């Protein structure tokens, strides 16, 4: 795996940052769940001017860029992943003027800006789907989606036995023009999210236009939603076991042709743009998405799905790095997102409750139960230091830098995730990681909004505010800031070599002069003298003993600070 050398760069406000020509290879990007970051106008919903107003928080954190979850016009049945217009910004988030203000302010601070591209499906309120419903079976309007006749003598059975990822059937029947039951359309997710037909040239060209429009407007790349889903198995065959994972919905070879096309579009610009795929597959399989001429980055979610366990982490990292010499692109790591329970809660779960779901991701990342908060924070920060020492880029999810746990105790009537609704309450879904951020105690909505928040914040958020952590050198926020600063001194050209720790529950690796050690087990680990001086530890190092549930960075030679 090769990395480009870093180059100094002066931003328009005079600050000097270091940027590689292929900045995306090693950048740290902050994921913004726009509705929940900061609200500038008091409607209780976060917006783009709210982000602009808090850019100093992000710049001082030390990230290289921002990824905005979808903020296009949307009925918001799935947190904006049901897009009704791909070419503009929802007025609830401030519309295009607020977008332009944010883009300029971000670029002025040397921060990249990525948007979320949702190409597998749109909203049922998108004009194309409205036209499709009004048109006849077999019409060009219906061909943009995956409509099919039902089975059974009167067509009252779905065309096949696939299940939606969010629970329930993957097909919904529409009314014919005379009001009688008509055809069915496929939706891999919610009923309100009809899947596009990617064999239809109008769909292909529409997304070419979406990419070009936003690139022309100045963004630096896209995170691509369920990037492995656009092409379905030919003939949409039935599943032997409809309750098992559905291999026909994902990872079909044809999807790679779309990425070659998009890569050519990105490469036609005279600046470095990134295309990052959301692909929930094994490390070996995801590598195919960053082969030469395809996407530049892909999420390696395998690490996020592991328990806090040395062997599991090592195997995942080793498998992830093993395939990289045959690809052109770069891994993107994350331990948190808007789709999984926050790492503090996952790693601090001491008494998990049984979870019922056909979704493998849910089983691995959204278990509920009793949490030891101190343990969870210790492990989550240790895992973060380990992740930040890996080769590749890192995506942090808002609130992670505050050590926020999952909000498990949302009132049921407040839950909005379609997973909660479609599973009839058997799965709680993802709202608990999407609760508006606490900025300051003693202010309405903890400084998030002057109005009432779209999702209620629990009282205990008072213990996790930005204001409080800013004043505390021992806070999680202070640790993340230091970590991002120290990370810049890791030469990204260095590969990763495992070191022998003599213990199965302690992992260590070297990248050049830089060593990362993580203690997963209960006993402290004596860091060998020749592993260098301490650069940063997630908990205090005492007499060169690294405590349990701690990760430390060491440098063989003190840095010339
Ligand atoms: C992706 C998004 C998730 C969304 C789904 C359907 O997995 O990250 O939030 O619900 O796609 O668009």
């Amino acid at each position: 795996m090769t990395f480009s050398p870093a180059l100094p760069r002066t931003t328009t406000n005079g600050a000097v940052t270091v940027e590689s020509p292929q900045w995306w290879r090693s950048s740290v990007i902050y994921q913004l769940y726009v509705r929940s970051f900061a609200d500038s106008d008091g409607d209780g919903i976060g917006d783009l001017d709210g982000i602009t107003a808090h850019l100093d928080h992000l710049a001082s954190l030390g990230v290289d860029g921002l990824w905005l979850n979808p903020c296009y016009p949307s009925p918001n049945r799935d947190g904006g992943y049901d897009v009704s217009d791909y070419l503009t910004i929802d007025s609830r988030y401030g519309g295009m003027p607020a977008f332009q203000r944010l883009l300029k302010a971000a670029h002025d601070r040397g921060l990249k800006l990525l948007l979320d591209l949702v190409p597998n499906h749109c909203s049922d309120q998108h004009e194309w789907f409205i036209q499709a419903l009004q048109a006849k079976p077999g019409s060009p309007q219906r061909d943009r989606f995956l409509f099919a006749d039902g089975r059974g003598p009167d067509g009252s059975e779905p065309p096949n036995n696939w299940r939606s990822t969010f629970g329930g059937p993957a097909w919904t029947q529409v009314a014919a023009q005379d009001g009688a039951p008509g055809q069915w359309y496929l939706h891999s997710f919610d009923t309100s999210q009809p899947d596009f037909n990617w064999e239809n040239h109008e769909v292909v060209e529409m997304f070419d236009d979406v990419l070009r429009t936003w690139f022309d407007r100045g963004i630096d790349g896209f995170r691509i939603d369920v990037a492995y889903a656009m092409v379905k198995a030919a003939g949409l065959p039935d599943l032997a076991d409809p309750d098992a994972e559905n291999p026909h919905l994902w990872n079909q070879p044809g999807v790679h042709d779309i990425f070659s096309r998009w890569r050519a579009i990105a490469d036609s610009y005279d600046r470095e743009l990134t295309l990052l795929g959301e692909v929930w597959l094994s490390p070996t399989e995801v590598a195919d998405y960053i082969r030469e001429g395809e996407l530049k980055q892909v999420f390696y979610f395998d690490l996020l799905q592991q328990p806090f366990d040395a062997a599991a982490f090592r195997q995942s990292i080793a498998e992830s790095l093993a395939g990289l010499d045959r690809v052109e692109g770069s891994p993107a790591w994350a331990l948190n997102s808007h789709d999984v329970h926050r790492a503090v809660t996952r790693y601090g779960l001491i008494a998990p409750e049984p979870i019922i779901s056909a979704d493998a991701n849910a089983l691995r990342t959204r278990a509920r139960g009793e949490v030891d908060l101190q343990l969870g924070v210790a492990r989550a920060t240790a895992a973060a230091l380990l992740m930040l020492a890996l080769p590749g880029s890192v995506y942090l999810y808002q609130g992670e830098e505050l050590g926020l746990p999952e909000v498990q105790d949302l009132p049921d009537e407040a839950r909005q995730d379609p997973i909660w609704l479609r599973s009839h309450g058997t799965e709680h879904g993802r709202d608990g990681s999407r609760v508006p951020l606490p900025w300051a105690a003693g202010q309405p909505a903890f400084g998030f909004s002057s109005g009432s928040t779209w999702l209620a914040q629990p009282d205990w958020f008072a213990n996790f505010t930005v204001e409080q952590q800013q004043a505390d050198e021992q806070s999680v926020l202070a640790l993340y800031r230091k970590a991002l600063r120290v990370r810049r001194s890791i030469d990204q050209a260095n590969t990763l070599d495992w070191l022998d720790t003599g213990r199965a529950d302690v992992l260590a690796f070297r990248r050049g002069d830089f060593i990362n050690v993580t203690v997963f087990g209960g006993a402290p680990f004596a860091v060998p003298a020749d592993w260098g001086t301490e650069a940063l530890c997630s908990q205090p190092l005492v007499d060169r003993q690294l405590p349990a549930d701690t990760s430390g960075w060491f440098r063989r030679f003190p840095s010339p600070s």
Side-chain angles (χ1 to χ4, degrees):
M1 177 181 190
T2 53
F3 286 95
S4 302
L7 298 175
R9 185 175 58 102
T10 308
T11 66
T12 50
N13 71 353
V16 176
T17 63
V18 174
E19 179 181 297
S20 130
Q22 292 189 319
W23 56 269
W24 42 271
R25 283 194 181 277
S26 56
S27 52
V28 177
I29 305 289
Y30 188 91
Q31 180 192 348
L32 286 141
Y33 199 74
V34 177
R35 290 173 76 70
S36 297
F37 185 71
D39 171 24
S40 72
D41 60 8
D43 65 358
I45 299 171
D47 49 42
L48 300 191
D49 282 335
I51 298 172
T52 306
H54 286 89
L55 275 187
D56 288 339
H57 168 69
L58 301 175
S60 70
L61 181 59
V63 297
D64 303 299
L66 317 174
W67 149 37
L68 308 183
N69 279 118
C71 42
Y72 314 101
S74 163
N76 223 20
R77 293 275 298 274
D78 179 25
Y81 284 96
D82 45 328
V83 178
S84 52
D85 181 351
Y86 288 87
L87 296 178
T88 191
I89 300 290
D90 196 315
S91 57
R92 283 171 299 184
Y93 303 128
M96 283 305 291
F99 168 77
Q100 268 138 8
R101 285 192 286 273
L102 172 58
L103 182 66
K104 178 170 186 319
H107 283 172
D108 281 352
R109 287 168 175 78
L111 298 171
K112 303 289 182 190
L113 189 68
L114 312 187
L115 289 187
D116 209 317
L117 185 70
V118 190
N120 179 64
H121 46 264
C122 59
S123 158
D124 60 0
Q125 299 305 304
H126 190 282
E127 64 170 337
W128 276 8
F129 193 70
I130 294 172
Q131 289 166 9
L133 291 185
Q134 289 160 354
K136 292 197 176 78
S139 61
Q141 290 85 351
R142 286 215 170 171
D143 191 57
R144 294 164 175 157
F145 297 92
L146 293 165
F147 278 90
D149 293 331
R151 294 197 288 204
D154 53 2
S156 62
E157 298 292 322
N160 70 21
N161 64 358
W162 295 1
R163 318 279 300 162
S164 139
T165 312
F166 289 165
W171 295 89
T172 291
Q173 190 171 25
V174 301
Q177 271 156 340
D178 59 5
Q183 285 193 301
W184 298 69
Y185 66 90
L186 181 73
H187 49 89
S188 303
F189 295 92
D190 188 52
T191 319
S192 63
Q193 295 168 296
D195 281 33
F196 282 116
N197 172 15
W198 271 89
E199 285 174 16
N200 179 292
H201 72 95
E202 285 185 283
V203 171
V204 175
E205 285 162 17
M206 193 263 267
F207 277 95
D208 288 354
D209 188 39
V210 172
L211 261 75
R212 288 202 181 94
T213 301
W214 288 105
F215 288 155
D216 289 347
R217 288 173 176 164
I219 68 160
D220 301 292
F222 281 109
R223 174 265 192 189
I224 302 159
D225 190 56
V226 282
Y228 59 141
M230 281 97 84
V231 176
K232 314 295 188 283
L236 310 180
D238 262 333
L239 290 164
D241 175 3
D243 292 324
E245 283 277 291
N246 182 350
H248 305 319
L249 268 182
W250 324 105
N251 201 25
Q252 300 296 314
V255 83
H256 295 279
D257 299 338
I258 302 171
F259 302 139
S260 307
R261 188 179 179 99
W262 289 354
R263 177 62 185 272
I265 293 175
D267 285 352
S268 72
Y269 286 78
D270 62 4
R271 61 189 202 279
E272 269 297 311
L273 301 171
T274 194
L275 294 170
L276 159 70
E278 186 213 12
V279 177
W280 291 84
L281 293 171
S282 72
T284 319
E285 292 167 310
V286 291
D288 287 347
Y289 287 74
I290 48 173
R291 289 179 299 202
E292 192 160 353
E294 297 198 30
L295 300 179
K296 296 197 183 176
Q297 299 178 271
V298 71
F299 275 119
Y300 276 69
F301 284 127
D302 190 68
L303 186 63
L304 177 156
Q305 297 179 69
Q306 302 306 322
F308 188 77
D309 172 82
F313 265 56
R314 176 162 178 161
Q315 183 175 345
S316 179
I317 294 165
E319 279 179 12
S320 301
L321 299 181
L324 290 177
D325 49 357
R326 68 177 173 90
V327 301
E328 184 195 18
S330 178
W333 309 98
L335 292 172
N336 288 280
S337 85
H338 64 298
D339 287 329
V340 298
H341 277 190
R342 288 186 177 275
V344 168
T345 297
R346 294 201 315 274
Y347 299 145
L349 200 59
I350 47 174
E353 293 165 9
I355 161 167
I356 308 161
S357 175
D359 178 356
N361 292 345
L363 299 175
R364 289 190 211 108
T365 65
R366 296 204 294 267
R368 295 165 56 80
E370 190 188 335
V371 172
D372 176 336
L373 208 51
Q374 206 181 345
L375 181 71
V377 171
R379 290 179 168 181
T381 49
L385 282 202
L386 185 157
M387 168 178 70
L388 286 163
L390 295 174
S393 77
V394 166
Y395 283 69
L396 304 177
Y397 178 52
Q398 68 181 38
E400 170 176 351
E401 78 280 20
L402 305 175
L404 265 191
E406 185 77 9
V407 182
Q408 295 196 68
D409 52 356
L410 279 172
D412 285 350
E413 59 280 9
R415 295 186 190 280
Q416 307 197 10
D417 189 344
I419 292 179
W420 163 254
L421 303 169
R422 288 184 69 85
S423 72
H424 305 291
T426 54
E427 250 206 83
H428 284 79
R430 303 160 296 176
D431 293 310
S433 64
R434 302 173 177 183
V435 177
L437 285 195
W439 290 92
Q443 292 187 20
F446 300 114
F448 165 76
S449 171
S450 57
S452 91
T453 59
W454 71 276
L455 201 56
Q457 299 156 301
D459 293 342
W460 52 262
F461 259 31
N463 303 326
F464 292 89
T465 65
V466 174
E467 181 191 50
Q468 182 190 73
Q469 299 199 30
Q470 240 154 5
D472 176 4
E473 264 304 290
Q474 304 307 318
S475 65
V476 176
L477 178 59
L479 179 73
Y480 268 76
R481 282 182 174 160
K482 288 179 210 153
L484 297 199
R485 203 173 58 232
V486 176
R487 185 179 192 272
R488 288 183 190 277
S489 64
I490 307 178
D491 184 346
Q492 291 297 327
N494 286 321
T495 50
L496 181 152
D497 301 308
W498 296 103
L499 298 176
D500 184 9
T501 65
R503 269 177 56 182
D505 61 349
V506 180
L507 288 189
F509 57 82
R510 174 201 305 280
R511 292 187 62 205
D513 290 336
F514 198 87
I515 289 175
N516 174 257
V517 197
T518 308
V519 183
F520 289 81
F525 175 74
V527 181
D530 64 350
W531 284 12
T533 53
E534 176 190 354
L536 187 63
C537 289
S538 59
Q539 297 192 78
L541 187 71
V542 182
D543 299 331
R544 275 191 88 79
Q545 299 279 326
L546 200 59
D549 304 310
T550 303
S551 185
W553 290 353
F554 296 85
R555 237 194 313 251
R556 302 266 277 188
F557 307 105
S559 68
S561 60

